[in-house]
Amino acid sequence: MTNNHDGGASGSPDGAGPALTGVSVAVVAVSTTRSGTAGSARTRPPWVAMEDYAALIRERTPMRALCLTVTTSEPHILTERGPVILTELDVLTAAVAAATITTLRRRSVPPRAGRVVITGASWAPLLAPVLIASRVGDLSSWHKRDAEAFPLRRLMEHNDVLVDLSGCAPDGAALGRTVTVPADGFAYGALVLPGLLAALCGHQVRTVTVEVVPACVRALALITPADQMLPFADDRLLVSAVARHVSRALGHPVPYRDHHR
């Protein structure tokens, strides 16, 4: 699974109904002319990320994962064929939103009172709706063209958290309260993908909706230690927590509690 410009993951039931046993997942790396995460170049080629996501799915869930590498200028042709399509941007959005919530929490700011500034908001179009669904009270968008009239440092004197998707924030603009996206999104995507797939596969769910992503956000925020921005990747509750919250949001049975090898 790569980002929304480079590919996605397709989960399809294999005659097993809502159970995870027998579910196959294809992890697709699509090579196109566009790449990068939030304005930064990837640290690994898409096919390497694809293999890492496939290994993650096999390790953390009972699902089978296959790798497919495709060269195309029209990734939508692939996404239109799959019963469940997830992109790396979907899971990155969930992780970034959760990091925003936990950053507010560390500052003792309830989400409803939170004031969040986003740079490069167009890169992640679901982020603002997800933060609104997560009950963040006030959202603002900032662009480089605003710098002269509204310097970012001055703007952040009156706001709580900076989500810097474009990587344009000057050093110290919001010290200790800036959320960014790593150039290699796997570290964030790995927190969300196994549990999200576990909840979606086998239920004829075809798209990721604004109801689904906030459920992932709630799960991540709830199990994040008080002094951290996001949960640890090896947290034994991670996969089951995400699967449980997403399943409940969709009115589906919880697929399983925990899976260990």
Side-chain angles (χ1 to χ4, degrees), residues 159-215:
N159 287 273
D160 301 301
V161 176
L162 173 63
V163 181
D164 187 20
L165 298 181
S166 62
C168 65
D171 292 340
L175 192 63
R177 50 196 178 101
T178 299
V179 176
T180 60
V181 181
D184 185 349
F186 180 79
Y188 276 16
L191 299 174
V192 181
L193 181 62
L196 180 55
L197 276 178
L200 296 182
C201 287
H203 289 291
Q204 305 303 315
V205 177
R206 296 184 181 275
T207 58
V208 176
T209 65
V210 176
E211 293 80 20
V212 167
V213 183

Side-chain angles (χ1 to χ4, degrees), residues 138-260:
D138 185 78
L139 298 178
S140 302
S141 181
W142 188 89
H143 302 273
K144 284 186 176 181
R145 62 177 179 267
D146 302 323
E148 185 173 348
F150 303 100
L152 192 54
R153 289 178 186 273
R154 186 179 304 170
L155 185 64
M156 290 312 300
E157 292 175 1
H158 308 286
N159 287 273
D160 301 301
V161 176
L162 173 63
V163 181
D164 187 20
L165 298 181
S166 62
C168 65
D171 292 340
L175 192 63
R177 50 196 178 101
T178 299
V179 176
T180 60
V181 181
D184 185 349
F186 180 79
Y188 276 16
L191 299 174
V192 181
L193 181 62
L196 180 55
L197 276 178
L200 296 182
C201 287
H203 289 291
Q204 305 303 315
V205 177
R206 296 184 181 275
T207 58
V208 176
T209 65
V210 176
E211 293 80 20
V212 167
V213 183
C216 298
V217 173
R218 287 193 297 274
L220 295 183
L222 283 171
I223 65 172
T224 298
D227 59 342
Q228 299 293 320
M229 185 175 285
L230 287 168
F232 296 108
D234 60 354
D235 190 320
R236 64 181 183 84
L237 299 177
L238 181 59
V239 177
S240 58
V242 173
R244 183 170 63 251
H245 278 80
V246 172
S247 297
R248 287 176 178 171
L250 295 174
H252 296 161
V254 176
Y256 66 105
R257 293 182 178 274
D258 291 288
H259 177 73
H260 298 285

